[in-house]
Amino acid sequence: PPPLHTSCHPRHVQLGVLQLATMLFFNVSGGPFGSEGMVRCAGPLMSLIGLVVLPVFWSCPVALMTAELSTAIPKDGGFVVWVDEAFGRFWAFQMGWWSWCMGNVDNALYPIMFASIAEKSIGIGYGKWQRISVKVLYTTVLTLLNLLGAQVAGKVTVALAFMVFLPVVL
């Protein structure tokens, strides 16, 4: 088989473990928001057990499946390539299309959530144009952050994770 990495130059690692872990954390969960109701209904012990045990039983099989499929089919494209290999182009297209649609709907929620949380944190009511300005500013800052590259985004993500976890730890 042809080598996977044909460049003569060694690969440069752009993200450290902590940066990658915080990026994955925000990509998967967006932070610890929403756990307040769980603690109120189930109590702190059951909530903590749920937050520790459930990810292990969910994440470990998914990680093992991803590792196995990535090794078996070493092509760029991830799950779309895997579905293509297993079920054909039609279902691979469906997988890619619906995943893309879900990503757009999901990502459209974050500026709204940010504006709402900022409004509640500051304790003042926004007008229509102020709310729109906050959403546009949020989207612009995050877009510029991503355009600056993985290293900058990784460092900022670690700082954001620290700020998000600080109230939970205290």
Side-chain angles (χ1 to χ4, degrees):
L4 295 177
H5 188 259
T6 57
S7 174
C8 298
H9 305 291
R11 288 186 148 177
H12 298 296
V13 177
Q14 293 192 359
L15 295 175
V17 173
L18 183 62
Q19 293 171 330
L20 183 61
T22 55
M23 286 180 129
L24 289 173
F25 170 76
F26 281 117
N27 189 34
V28 171
S29 69
F33 306 107
S35 59
E36 300 89 355
M38 180 175 52
V39 174
R40 186 174 52 247
C41 293
L45 179 62
M46 291 306 293
S47 298
L48 189 60
I49 289 171
L51 289 171
V52 171
V53 172
L54 181 64
V56 170
F57 284 107
W58 174 261
S59 300
C60 286
V62 170
L64 291 171
M65 177 201 67
T66 303
E68 182 177 352
L69 286 169
S70 296
T71 305
I73 308 170
K75 298 179 184 175
D76 291 334
F79 55 85
V80 174
V81 173
W82 306 336
V83 171
D84 184 37
E85 290 284 334
F87 303 109
R89 293 221 178 253
F90 175 77
W91 292 111
F93 174 80
Q94 293 297 317
M95 183 70 185
W97 171 257
W98 290 112
S99 178
W100 180 78
C101 290
M102 184 272 314
N104 283 318
V105 169
D106 184 48
N107 288 331
L109 296 174
Y110 295 118
I112 297 166
M113 288 172 47
F114 178 79
S116 175
I117 291 170
E119 188 174 12
K120 289 176 185 174
S121 298
I122 295 171
I124 60 169
Y126 288 153
K128 177 183 176 182
W129 292 108
Q130 289 170 318
R131 191 174 292 114
I132 290 171
S133 299
V134 168
K135 293 173 190 175
V136 168
L137 180 65
Y138 173 87
T139 304
T140 304
V141 167
L142 291 182
T143 300
L144 292 173
L145 179 65
N146 281 300
L147 291 174
L148 290 174
Q151 287 181 334
V152 174
K155 289 175 184 176
V156 171
T157 305
V158 170
L160 288 173
F162 178 77
M163 292 186 323
V164 164
F165 284 122
L166 191 61
V168 176
V169 173
L170 296 178

